[in-house]
């Protein structure tokens, strides 16, 4: 291989995760229960070693890319991230708690606590 070909090829670093700014942070809204290797898993892995700029890499990553662009498999990931952001914006009431992020589970627990306090007041009045 020529020297110019070697310098143009590099290891694919995946893609940065651009989470909508109007949502709470990615790490507390992301449905981590979906992050596994089963048949219904997400098609990418997540690197949160740089907490302020998480990155995603396809599970089928080609491991090499040219210039500053990700490989062909990793270029599909932003579509999945946008879809996840739409799902977590307002989760359906019937969503199993295992598929909610930490923030939504906290909201649910807070809601149950408020309901319980309201019921306590009704009993004592």
């Amino acid at each position: 291989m020529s020297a110019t070909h070697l310098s143009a090829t590099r290891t694919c670093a995946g893609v940065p995760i651009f989470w909508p700014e109007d949502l709470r942070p990615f790490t507390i809204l992301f449905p981590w229960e979906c992050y596994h290797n089963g048949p219904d898993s997400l098609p990418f892995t997540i690197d949160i070693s740089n907490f302020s700029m998480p990155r995603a890499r396809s599970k089928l990553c080609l491991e090499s890319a040219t210039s500053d662009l990700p490989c062909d498999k990793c270029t599909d990931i932003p579509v999945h991230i946008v879809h996840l952001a739409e799902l977590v914006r307002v989760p359906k009431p019937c969503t199993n708690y295992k598929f909610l992020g930490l923030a939504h589970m906290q909201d649910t627990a807070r809601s149950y606590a408020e309901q319980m306090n309201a019921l306590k007041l009704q009993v004592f009045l």
Side-chain angles (χ1 to χ4, degrees), residues 90-108:
V90 181
K92 295 178 182 174
C94 60
T95 302
N96 188 314
Y97 75 93
K98 293 192 302 185
F99 301 111
L100 297 174
L102 175 62
H104 289 119
M105 289 194 293
Q106 288 173 333
D107 292 344
T108 301

Side-chain angles (χ1 to χ4, degrees), residues 35-101:
Y35 193 68
H36 56 80
N37 287 324
D40 60 344
S41 68
L42 296 171
F44 55 87
T45 59
I46 298 172
D47 176 10
I48 54 173
S49 59
N50 180 354
F51 194 71
S52 63
M53 182 51 75
R55 296 188 73 78
R57 229 172 133 190
S58 171
K59 289 181 179 177
L60 304 172
C61 182
L62 301 175
E63 302 288 330
S64 63
T66 55
S67 75
D68 291 333
L69 301 173
C71 71
D72 290 340
K73 299 293 182 180
C74 290
T75 56
D76 296 336
I77 295 172
V79 173
H80 294 285
I81 300 296
V82 167
H83 180 69
L84 281 173
E86 291 170 4
L87 290 175
V88 301
R89 188 172 298 281
V90 181
K92 295 178 182 174
C94 60
T95 302
N96 188 314
Y97 75 93
K98 293 192 302 185
F99 301 111
L100 297 174

Side-chain angles (χ1 to χ4, degrees), residues 108-124:
T108 301
R110 188 178 304 113
S111 171
Y112 287 154
E114 290 169 359
Q115 288 176 12
M116 187 169 52
N117 287 336
L119 290 171
K120 285 181 194 176
L121 286 175
Q122 289 177 1
V123 169
F124 292 119

